[in-house]
Amino acid sequence: MYDVIVIGARCAGAPTAMLFARQGYRVLLLEKAKFPQDTLSSHYLHSQGVALLDRWGLLDELRATDVQPITHQVYEAPGVRVEGFSLPIDGLRTTYAPRRYVLDPILAAGAVRAGAEFRQSCAVNDLIYDDDRVVGVRYTTPAGVQTTERARLVVGADGMRSLVARKVGAPNVVEHARLTCVYYSYWAGVPADFELYERPGRWIGVVPTNNDLTLLMTYFPQADFGEVRRSVEPAYLEAFRSTAPELYERMQSGERVEQLYGTGHQENYFRKAYGPGWVLVGDAVNHKDSITARGITEAWVQAQTLTGYIGANLHDDRALRSALRRYENSLSDEALNHYQGALNVAELKPEGRTDMLRKLVGHQDHIDRYFSTLSGAISIDDFYNEELLTLLDQS
């Protein structure tokens, strides 16, 4: 019998398994894919995520890949262009946007080194109950054999369409309609910083990644999804031409080297986070529009928070319930703020942001602090300090 079974070994599950294993627990990590394998992702690591990766001792391993360091950010919208970067966290200011087929194996290997048992190509089919408590999982091995394993706690880190959430009937406690659809690909010969471009009804995201490639993403209103997917490439290119003309010119000297990837299924919700014998992390508990690229970073924050709250008390019923309740309550703080921030951006109505940012032009410290609210280096409440409010009132 295991102490913890974690379902899903990507950005939420592997760190959760690693951190539980480092606490001395016997951990089984199950993953339906065979690594390395890519997956849909904006794959940007905000400063908060980079700091956690460093704390876990995995940052140097990521740096040893060919992922490009990011030290400069650009935001451009009608009537305003600002440049700068987030304030550091733990002395770290450089960020990265690694491909998932690079990042996910690093995280899984970290879990294995910590002592977790990692089984790939295993499809979890069901949960096992003792009365109303989840006590294990039923899954299919790579050889096609049906088997079961039991544990004190089952962690659903299995994404937006979480089997764990479905089987336990975890309800949505916060829910909003889909706001955007997104298409993206990878380009050679298009050097870039971390760049964001916005016009009413359009959003462009640009980040350098592995293999000297640049990720170029386009966001459209959800209402346009049907039309866009019928003619993806022309819509994709036209979005760059009309929203970011200078970037579009740079693209003419480059080459798209992969297919276009995309989705119109960007759900926005918080689910009930835990119950008897189970808990959810990552996209399984909270998914939002990817437009602010907060998913990976927040999954890591959740893994750190959950395992920290449980600590050595996994087998103490009262202490475990208290820890799980504290974990769920924590989601209503910082995570809820970033959730609302993503929804605000995903409305694709830049007017409010541009009005405020125009007033920050010439005040680099405030521009960097604004970028820091996106990275997690400072909170929105800290950003709107007395000095900034005075500046905004005088402008």
Side-chain angles (χ1 to χ4, degrees):
M1 179 170 172
Y2 293 90
D3 295 306
V4 181
I5 296 174
V6 180
I7 302 173
R10 293 192 182 270
C11 284
T16 302
M18 177 187 71
L19 294 171
F20 271 128
R22 288 181 177 181
Q23 291 172 332
Y25 293 118
R26 187 173 182 228
V27 180
L28 174 61
L29 178 61
L30 297 173
E31 170 56 46
K32 65 181 179 181
K34 173 72 173 177
F35 288 169
Q37 186 182 89
D38 213 359
T39 188
L40 285 175
S41 179
S42 57
H43 57 75
Y44 180 70
L45 310 182
H46 287 277
S47 301
Q48 192 177 21
V50 173
L52 283 172
L53 204 63
D54 184 56
R55 184 187 306 178
W56 299 337
L58 301 177
L59 181 56
D60 285 344
E61 191 171 350
L62 176 63
R63 286 170 169 163
T65 72
D66 62 356
V67 66
Q68 301 176 61
I70 301 169
T71 58
H72 190 71
Q73 184 170 351
V74 175
Y75 172 84
E76 184 179 297
V80 65
R81 178 184 173 96
V82 293
E83 302 185 33
F85 210 60
S86 169
L87 301 174
I89 299 179
D90 295 345
L92 299 166
R93 202 168 189 180
T94 301
T95 60
Y96 306 89
R99 295 291 294 265
R100 294 294 298 277
Y101 64 76
V102 172
L103 177 63
D104 292 352
I106 289 174
L107 298 173
V112 171
R113 286 195 297 272
E117 184 177 342
F118 180 35
R119 299 180 190 173
Q120 303 181 68
S121 303
C122 292
V124 176
N125 309 309
D126 208 348
L127 304 178
I128 301 170
Y129 287 85
D130 185 355
D131 293 327
D132 66 342
R133 182 183 181 85
V134 174
V135 295
V137 301
R138 182 172 290 108
Y139 67 98
T140 304
T141 71
V145 177
Q146 298 284 321
T147 189
T148 61
E149 297 289 357
R150 290 176 173 260
R152 169 70 170 167
L153 183 67
V154 172
V155 179
D158 47 346
M160 186 173 69
R161 297 174 179 83
S162 169
L163 176 139
V164 176
R166 186 170 71 252
K167 291 293 184 178
V168 300
N172 287 355
V173 294
V174 174
E175 186 174 10
H176 291 83
R178 301 171 188 169
L179 291 173
T180 75
C181 58
V182 58
Y183 283 93
Y184 67 89
S185 192
Y186 300 89
W187 290 67
V190 185
D193 294 310
F194 178 21
E195 303 175 22
L196 304 171
Y197 301 86
E198 188 173 17
R199 298 290 186 273
R202 294 292 182 269
W203 175 277
I204 301 291
V206 184
V207 286
T209 181
N210 295 90
N211 299 322
D212 290 321
L213 300 181
T214 300
L215 169 63
L216 296 171
M217 311 186 76
T218 58
Y219 286 81
F220 306 87
Q222 174 68 28
D224 294 352
F225 181 45
E227 179 182 354
V228 170
R229 66 177 172 177
R230 283 193 294 271
S231 188
V232 172
E233 186 166 12
Y236 174 82
L237 293 174
E238 173 58 23
F240 285 99
R241 189 197 66 77
S242 60
T243 306
E246 185 277 330
L247 172 62
Y248 182 73
E249 288 300 315
R250 267 186 278 159
M251 293 167 64
Q252 304 314 297
S253 300
E255 176 188 9
R256 179 165 65 85
V257 297
E258 294 191 27
Q259 70 182 62
L260 282 162
Y261 307 95
T263 181
H265 299 283
Q266 301 215 90
E267 310 294 341
N268 299 298
Y269 60 78
F270 281 84
R271 288 181 175 132
K272 172 67 179 171
Y274 75 97
W278 62 271
V279 65
L280 304 176
V281 296
D283 288 349
V285 72
N286 163 222
H287 190 278
K288 58 188 168 298
D289 199 290
S290 66
I291 199 163
T292 53
R294 287 285 310 178
I296 296 174
T297 296
E298 289 186 26
W300 292 356
V301 170
Q302 291 166 16
Q304 184 73 50
T305 302
L306 172 66
T307 57
Y309 282 159
I310 292 176
N313 297 315
L314 181 66
H315 294 279
D316 180 324
D317 284 343
R318 171 182 278 183
L320 178 60
R321 284 195 301 271
S322 176
L324 294 175
R325 184 168 57 251
R326 289 177 68 199
Y327 164 69
E328 182 176 72
N329 289 341
S330 75
L331 298 175
S332 66
D333 297 328
E334 181 183 10
L336 187 59
N337 287 335
H338 284 297
Y339 175 86
Q340 190 57 58
L343 296 191
N344 291 342
V345 175
E347 289 180 348
L348 302 179
K349 298 176 180 178
E351 293 81 7
R353 278 181 298 282
T354 57
D355 290 345
M356 185 269 291
L357 288 171
R358 273 193 290 269
K359 298 175 182 179
L360 301 189
V361 173
H363 301 273
Q364 192 61 50
D365 55 337
H366 291 304
I367 292 171
D368 289 343
R369 286 172 58 82
Y370 171 73
F371 287 141
S372 298
T373 66
L374 308 177
S375 75
I378 66 172
S379 69
I380 289 290
D381 289 341
D382 288 337
F383 172 64
Y384 283 102
N385 59 19
E386 184 175 345
E387 181 182 353
L388 177 64
L389 293 174
T390 300
L391 172 65
L392 296 178
D393 287 341
Q394 292 173 346
S395 301

